[in-house]
Amino acid sequence: MDGPGAEGARLPPARAGSRLCVRCGERKAALKRPKTLEQICRECFYIVFEDEIHQTIVENSLFKAGERVAIGASGGKDSTVLAHVLSELNCHHNYGLDLFLLSVDEGITGYRDDSLETVKRNEIQYGLPLKIASYKDLYGWTMDNIVKAIGLKNNCTFCGVFRRQALDRGAALLKADKIVTGHSADDIAETVLLNILRGDIARLSRCTFITTGEDGPIPRCKPFKYTYEKEIVIYPVYEISYIFISFFTTPTLFKIENGLIWLYHDPGIYSPNAYRGFAREFIKDLERMRPRAILDIIKSGENFRISTTRRMPEQGTCERCGYISSQKLCKACVLLDGLNRGLPKLGIGRTKAGAGAESDGKQRTKRSERNTSSLQGKHGNFDF
Amino acid sequence: MAAAASACGGAGCRPQCSASAGGEGDAPAESMGRLSISAAAATCGKCDGGGAAVAVAGGVGMCADCFRAHLFGKFKLAVTSNAMVRPTDAVLLAFSGGPASRVALQFIHEMQSKAIQSWETSNSQALPAFRLGVAFVDESVLSVRPGHEIDMAIEDIKSILSSLSPGDKQLHVAPLEDVISSGSDDKAARLKELVGVINDETGRDDFIRCLRMLSLQKIALENGYTKIMLGTCASGIACHVLSATVKGQGYALPADVQYVDTRWEVPVVLPLHDCLAQELNLLCELYSLKTQQLLNRPCSGINGLVASFVSRLREENPSREHTILRTAQKLKPFSFNKFSANGYHDFLPSRLRPKFQNIDANESTFSEILCLICGSPFSESELQNLENTKHKAQKKIDLYTAHCCQSCHFQILPAATDMHGHFFSLLPKFWTEKVDTASASHSSVRDQIADYLLDEDDEN
């Protein structure tokens, strides 16, 4: 059993005389489930995979009948599989949901085009309507224009901050009741670890919630909370075709082998904080050693004894747009303000804290910048 | 735990360190990472004295003496502000031979000799000095190391102790197999069998750690010690924070990261809680405190993976271990993480007493249910499971199983349930007896009517 995790991601050809599926006991086992290392057949894999997500949805009562649900679709594997599974489950189990795909177009020539193509293909394939929220519509600026204004340095700040809000703003525009995202168990485990590494107790207490922002108008939920990334990769091998594209801040190298797409993350380019890359690698190593470690990390995250009396940083709302913010104005509004006033450097780095920001805003701004890559589901409170 | 001392001082950062410390001139600097001995830096940032300065993680250069005073200050603060040692106490120091326990021995010896001195000079008017003993758990039964190496190490420890005066320090060497309940049969073989039953590498590692703690408890109880002092340092705790998280022990985690842990019969204190393993290594290097690298117990499985992950994080940011520790300290500790017995603070200096006065009387006895093996407090779901089993448990084995936390259940208990009986029969009685007494009231009723009950398994 060397490297069970790595083995598990490959679909071994069914050999004559090989073992039977442990679940149905009839068909030949076709793969080792990454989550449990059980040898099961292809049919059973699809059944358990979808069943577990259904159980997660039912047990946590993620949806109510008649809700309008936006699926955050990037064109990557997670969101593509999420769209597929949700539309299947919606039909099978009569959730009665009005599903649609919501994509964000940053307006970068040549970057989103391919992934948006994928999403468009998904639209046709699953019969889910696709809505595209572009930076142009939401903020009045495309990333290309922003780059023209600010140059090649620091533009990640804009894109990151704007993207965080784009889904919420887009969903609000399209009158969605809920947003679902394709965050997998691996992602959540990684966030738990990162929050421990950076001492962020407030986020540590929130990051394992399956639904965030329930007090806001558009809660976000993660139906893949207990779903392993490796299984998400296995799932579409025969079912769906998709193009592999990830955010440009997180360049993903991939190769296609044995009908599977293999991923590499280069921790060096992945993030300015190298420890995020370390954490990701660490989780992969752990999974290889003990597959259930990912679920155990999530369990730890849920069970941490975080004192309710401990003072948490307050979460206010932005005076201008109503988005969640610790300052008077949210980061996006500060940046937008700078752009519109022709001072694009406003709100970046250690320079002036920016109009409307509090005097101690500098440090907080810096901190929030560092955390922009966090998984934390933020919700909107829009008043459009 | 007892092993944590070695996990950081010994194995935690060892794979890289011991490899690079090959006896060359620049080896110490290399092995210390950012903590380097640089003769070039002219003066000490604290005392302005000359001599080789030591760059501490914060960036301030310090001379060797100031560095030592800095660490001793941290140690002393931990001891006094948590009321770790009373004048009437008998302290048993768990000595693994690594840098952490070596420094702990040095520092606690200094505190003791100061107390002895003031007792003598003040003509017995001052507070009496505490008693100090040293325990060494001999694990040769589980290692492949030749016996004479262990003997040599023990000789070394004896010579270290004899060089520390005033104050007699008794050395207790206990073989690990002593924890196995006494009987006529071969304890070593039983211990080997018990450890062999555990399939998971990480589980085996953690299990030996629990046995080590049991062994220390046994030494302390038999020799009248009232405190056990461990050399667990900040780096070791940081590793533990991550590995406990990875093993799903998030609920129980805060119990292990505090200064004081009274859930054991003899309370355990961690005075090196705030010192990094690198700092302790460096101190041993600077003051040529003899350490026993031979006795390193490298951690394996997940614990080893976590240790290498932490050492990688440390390279990227030297203060990362402190950050991890801070996160863990923001979690709510358990009621057994402080001393609260009546009259406990009588000997404290009066200015410290108010700190401990406001203890809720209700909390003085803790109600948490602890895992039979590792002593982790039970989370809600584990409690629920235990309650359910208590009602329908037919056999003692089921009750034992329910008294193990989910993590031990997975990584220590044998996978096949029919092996459980065998496993629990091998376990030290000390552990299973606790469950027996806890369920005594329940089972005694059952015993009275046992003759009249038909066994479910009995098909005849």
Side-chain angles (χ1 to χ4, degrees):
Chain A
M1 283 224 296
D2 59 320
E7 280 297 311
R10 200 175 299 141
L11 299 179
R15 286 184 300 272
S18 63
R19 296 181 55 177
L20 289 177
C21 166
V22 294
R23 203 173 161 275
C24 62
E26 288 167 10
R27 290 173 290 259
K28 271 178 195 145
L31 64 138
K32 216 191 287 171
R33 246 198 111 182
K35 196 171 184 173
T36 57
L37 300 185
E38 287 169 329
Q39 299 199 355
I40 55 173
C41 64
R42 200 171 293 158
E43 290 78 359
C44 284
F45 173 72
Y46 290 120
I47 294 169
V48 277
F49 184 87
E50 286 168 13
D51 261 7
E52 279 183 8
I53 294 161
H54 173 62
Q55 288 307 326
T56 307
I57 291 172
V58 173
E59 278 164 21
N60 297 285
S61 27
L62 292 190
F63 307 116
K64 288 189 212 80
E67 274 183 334
R68 191 165 153 77
V69 176
I71 303 172
S74 65
K77 63 177 188 329
D78 297 340
S79 58
T80 306
V81 174
L82 181 66
H84 177 86
V85 172
L86 273 189
S87 73
E88 292 264 305
L89 292 177
N90 193 23
C91 294
H92 277 173
H93 299 283
N94 292 322
Y95 290 165
L97 299 178
D98 175 13
L99 296 170
F100 70 95
L101 297 166
L102 178 60
S103 280
V104 175
D105 183 6
E106 291 92 342
I108 304 169
T109 321
Y111 163 61
R112 274 292 170 198
D113 308 359
D114 286 347
S115 56
L116 286 177
E117 277 308 311
T118 322
V119 181
K120 275 178 195 153
R121 201 149 5 101
N122 293 342
E123 175 186 22
I124 301 159
Q125 204 170 346
Y126 313 131
L128 298 175
L130 166 68
K131 311 283 178 189
I132 297 176
S134 69
Y135 276 20
K136 181 84 189 153
D137 297 339
L138 298 172
Y139 304 106
W141 289 76
T142 64
M143 264 320 282
D144 285 347
N145 290 338
I146 293 174
V147 171
K148 264 179 216 154
I150 189 169
L152 288 170
K153 254 188 173 178
N154 290 331
N155 58 57
C156 288
T157 310
F158 286 85
C159 192
V161 170
F162 286 174
R163 193 191 300 122
R164 285 197 85 172
Q165 294 197 8
L167 267 188
D168 289 296
R169 287 177 185 244
L173 275 178
L174 295 160
K175 309 257 181 300
D177 298 310
K178 238 162 224 169
I179 302 174
V180 292
T181 53
H183 290 121
S184 64
D186 302 50
D187 294 330
I188 295 170
E190 184 187 322
T191 312
V192 171
L193 278 187
L194 288 178
N195 284 328
I196 293 176
L197 295 190
R198 61 177 165 232
D200 194 335
I201 198 82
R203 281 200 174 75
L204 186 60
S205 63
R206 282 179 278 151
C207 68
T208 46
F209 293 170
I210 192 160
T211 309
T212 47
E214 273 169 304
D215 43 341
I218 312 181
R220 272 193 189 199
C221 49
K222 307 165 196 152
F224 280 172
K225 182 181 171 189
Y226 301 108
T227 307
Y228 278 37
E229 196 178 297
K230 284 215 171 95
E231 302 202 345
I232 296 175
V233 177
I234 292 175
Y235 183 81
V237 168
Y238 305 100
E239 291 258 321
I240 325 166
S241 60
Y242 60 89
I243 307 175
F244 224 97
I245 285 163
S246 81
F247 296 125
F248 68 98
T249 46
T250 64
T252 306
L253 308 168
F254 63 92
K255 66 172 181 183
I256 298 176
E257 201 181 282
N258 302 336
L260 258 195
I261 295 154
W262 294 80
L263 292 177
Y264 305 91
H265 278 287
D266 186 333
I269 349 170
Y270 184 71
S271 150
N273 297 315
Y275 66 93
R276 175 177 276 273
F278 296 162
R280 186 161 276 266
E281 256 178 63
F282 173 61
I283 287 179
K284 293 281 166 244
D285 290 343
L286 270 179
E287 191 188 0
R288 216 163 290 138
M289 204 175 269
R290 181 187 285 186
R292 72 175 240 158
I294 292 177
L295 290 179
D296 276 343
I297 294 175
I298 298 176
K299 196 178 102 193
S300 287
E302 289 168 340
N303 288 341
F304 277 137
R305 288 162 53 98
I306 294 169
S307 159
T308 42
T309 54
R310 177 170 282 279
R311 207 174 52 82
M312 293 292 179
E314 268 180 44
Q315 286 193 332
T317 46
C318 172
E319 281 180 359
R320 194 169 298 172
C321 69
Y323 191 80
I324 190 165
S325 166
S326 55
Q327 311 286 317
K328 263 191 204 162
L329 292 183
C330 71
K331 185 78 178 154
C333 286
V334 173
L335 290 176
L336 214 51
D337 204 42
L339 279 174
N340 293 334
R341 284 165 50 193
L343 300 163
K345 292 269 193 283
L346 208 64
I348 295 181
R350 287 173 177 276
T351 50
K352 268 172 245 140
E358 285 162 29
S359 53
D360 64 338
K362 271 189 243 172
Q363 272 213 318
R364 294 217 194 161
T365 312
K366 217 184 125 224
R367 215 184 64 195
S368 66
E369 255 175 66
R370 268 193 293 158
N371 293 342
T372 42
S373 43
S374 155
L375 244 181
Q376 195 48 51
K378 287 285 178 85
H379 57 89
N381 184 20
F382 298 119
D383 203 3
F384 289 110
Chain B
M1 312 272 123
S6 61
C8 58
C13 56
R14 273 302 105 182
Q16 287 78 19
C17 296
S18 52
S20 64
E24 295 134 56
D26 58 353
E30 213 178 299
S31 66
M32 300 311 151
R34 302 281 173 96
L35 289 177
S36 53
I37 307 166
S38 58
T43 52
C44 166
K46 275 200 163 170
C47 66
D48 286 334
V54 177
V56 187
V60 193
M62 266 191 239
C63 66
D65 286 334
C66 286
F67 178 63
R68 189 181 199 284
H70 166 72
L71 287 186
F72 185 66
K74 283 194 202 176
F75 179 89
K76 208 172 159 192
L77 185 69
V79 170
T80 52
S81 64
N82 295 288
M84 284 184 189
V85 180
R86 284 185 300 173
T88 52
D89 267 337
V91 178
L92 180 69
L93 179 80
F95 192 79
S96 70
S101 48
R102 181 69 189 88
V103 171
L105 173 63
Q106 194 65 31
F107 284 172
I108 196 67
H109 159 72
E110 270 165 45
M111 288 185 75
Q112 191 201 26
S113 49
K114 211 170 231 176
I116 292 173
Q117 224 169 24
S118 64
W119 172 256
E120 283 167 353
T121 51
S122 66
N123 214 1
S124 309
Q125 292 296 303
L127 296 170
F130 55 90
R131 188 156 72 89
L132 184 59
V134 172
F136 175 75
V137 180
D138 175 6
E139 289 171 34
S140 47
V141 61
L142 295 176
S143 79
V144 288
R145 245 176 248 296
H148 69 268
E149 282 187 11
I150 302 282
D151 294 340
M152 264 165 58
I154 292 171
E155 281 309 309
D156 274 348
I157 296 172
K158 279 184 187 154
S159 75
I160 291 171
L161 286 183
S162 62
S163 71
L164 297 174
S165 63
D168 276 346
K169 289 163 196 69
Q170 210 187 337
L171 175 66
H172 308 271
V173 179
L176 190 63
E177 59 266 30
D178 273 5
V179 294
I180 299 291
S181 341
S182 54
S184 53
D185 50 351
D186 188 5
K187 285 181 189 176
R190 271 185 76 151
L191 179 67
K192 274 185 189 159
E193 188 185 354
L194 181 57
V195 173
V197 170
I198 302 167
N199 286 322
D200 190 276
E201 200 185 356
T202 319
R204 221 175 301 140
D205 208 39
D206 288 350
F207 183 72
I208 295 171
R209 207 173 274 214
C210 299
L211 288 180
R212 218 174 279 151
M213 175 52 102
L214 185 59
S215 176
L216 289 173
Q217 290 285 333
K218 206 165 167 250
I219 300 172
L221 282 173
E222 282 169 3
N223 297 284
Y225 287 97
T226 53
K227 296 280 161 59
I228 293 177
M229 182 172 279
L230 301 184
T232 307
C233 63
S235 313
I237 299 174
C239 286
H240 181 76
V241 169
L242 292 184
S243 52
T245 306
V246 164
K247 291 169 198 159
Q249 295 170 314
Y251 179 80
L253 170 64
D256 303 330
V257 299
Q258 312 298 328
Y259 293 92
V260 171
D261 182 355
T262 64
R263 76 187 119 152
W264 317 99
E265 234 159 294
V266 182
V268 172
V269 294
L270 314 176
L272 288 175
H273 186 279
D274 299 320
C275 302
L276 294 174
Q278 287 170 294
E279 295 174 330
L280 300 172
N281 283 341
L282 183 58
L283 191 72
C284 289
E285 204 85 46
L286 287 172
Y287 284 84
S288 9
L289 299 178
K290 194 163 183 195
T291 54
Q292 291 290 339
Q293 302 303 354
L294 263 182
L295 301 176
N296 271 342
R297 298 163 248 201
C299 26
S300 50
I302 286 181
N303 299 333
L305 189 64
V306 167
S308 65
F309 176 56
V310 169
S311 75
R312 204 169 162 194
L313 290 171
R314 178 172 49 225
E315 276 162 30
E316 182 244 354
N317 182 348
S319 60
R320 185 70 72 198
E321 285 157 325
H322 279 310
T323 316
I324 296 172
L325 200 61
R326 255 203 317 279
T327 317
Q329 283 191 294
K330 286 178 196 157
L331 302 175
K332 217 159 81 189
F334 292 86
S335 55
F336 53 73
N337 286 126
K338 60 186 170 206
F339 292 117
S340 59
N342 282 343
Y344 184 77
H345 310 295
D346 294 353
F347 284 109
L348 277 181
S350 54
R351 72 193 149 79
L352 275 175
R353 247 175 264 161
K355 274 190 167 179
F356 299 92
Q357 292 297 314
N358 50 358
I359 290 163
D360 193 353
N362 299 334
E363 280 189 64
S364 56
T365 52
F366 64 92
S367 54
E368 276 91 359
I369 290 187
L370 304 178
C371 168
L372 171 81
I373 298 174
C374 69
S376 302
F378 270 26
S379 71
E380 217 158 292
S381 64
E382 286 162 334
L383 279 178
Q384 201 122 47
N385 178 32
L386 178 64
E387 281 305 312
N388 293 342
T389 328
K390 259 188 189 165
H391 287 302
K392 59 177 190 216
Q394 294 289 331
K395 295 183 214 122
K396 210 164 236 179
I397 304 300
D398 295 336
L399 205 58
Y400 290 153
T401 312
H403 267 96
C404 293
C405 69
Q406 283 169 7
S407 171
C408 288
H409 207 289
F410 171 75
Q411 62 171 17
I412 294 180
L413 291 195
T417 39
D418 51 334
M419 286 284 288
H420 285 185
H422 179 57
F423 180 76
F424 285 114
S425 71
L426 289 172
L427 272 192
K429 284 278 172 295
F430 187 81
W431 285 339
T432 44
E433 268 166 7
K434 272 192 286 186
V435 177
D436 292 345
T437 47
S439 63
S441 53
H442 177 75
S443 60
S444 60
V445 178
R446 181 165 282 279
D447 286 345
Q448 285 171 21
I449 54 167
D451 294 341
Y452 306 98
L453 295 174
L454 291 174
D455 196 341
E456 275 187 351
D457 301 335
D458 202 354
E459 284 297 304
N460 307 331

